[in-house]
Amino acid sequence: MPVVVYSVLRLLLFAAALGVLWFAGLRGWLLVLVAAVVALMLSYLTLRRPREAASRYLAARAEHRARTGERFSREIEDDAAAEDAALDAALDREEGAAAPSTDPAPTEQPGTSSAR
């Protein structure tokens, strides 16, 4: 959640810089470029606490993943296992339906005729 808060605050700073620069008369691609630079500087100066909270949150998650060896939550792992089982079952059914019959039918090679 702290990462979302920090990202939204940065987007709001970008939108504010964009609006101020637009009303100041800046237009075109330069408007977006200057607004991005201004928002970057403002976010570095004003969003120290949210940035540190997001950093602590991400570091704690990385440490937890390294400690437990889990990449995803248990719910995601269970869902992936269920999808894998369903896909395997569908492939088994498809292979069973596409298996050749035990009574081979005569096949004719392209470009040859069976009449002599």
Side-chain angles (χ1 to χ4, degrees):
M1 188 69 176
V3 176
V4 173
V5 170
Y6 179 62
S7 298
V8 167
L9 289 173
R10 287 196 64 185
L11 285 172
L12 288 174
L13 278 176
F14 176 72
L18 200 67
V20 168
L21 290 170
W22 188 78
F23 281 118
L26 197 58
R27 300 288 191 270
W29 62 270
L30 193 57
L31 168 67
V32 176
L33 182 66
V34 173
V37 171
V38 168
L40 175 72
M41 291 186 297
L42 285 174
S43 70
Y44 182 75
L45 295 173
T46 61
L47 300 179
R48 190 192 70 180
R49 279 191 219 143
R51 182 177 57 248
E52 288 175 354
S55 176
R56 282 191 304 270
Y57 174 77
L58 291 173
R61 284 185 49 94
E63 181 182 328
H64 173 73
R65 263 184 278 158
R67 189 176 56 244
T68 61
E70 291 180 4
R71 263 186 84 191
F72 300 106
S73 68
R74 175 65 23 222
E75 292 86 17
I76 292 174
E77 292 287 346
D78 291 344
D79 186 49
E83 287 177 3
D84 290 344
L87 181 61
D88 289 342
L91 289 175
D92 289 343
R93 281 193 306 270
E94 185 178 295
E95 287 175 1
S101 64
T102 57
D103 187 27
T107 58
E108 193 171 303
Q109 294 292 328
T112 64
S113 69
S114 59
R116 289 197 177 196

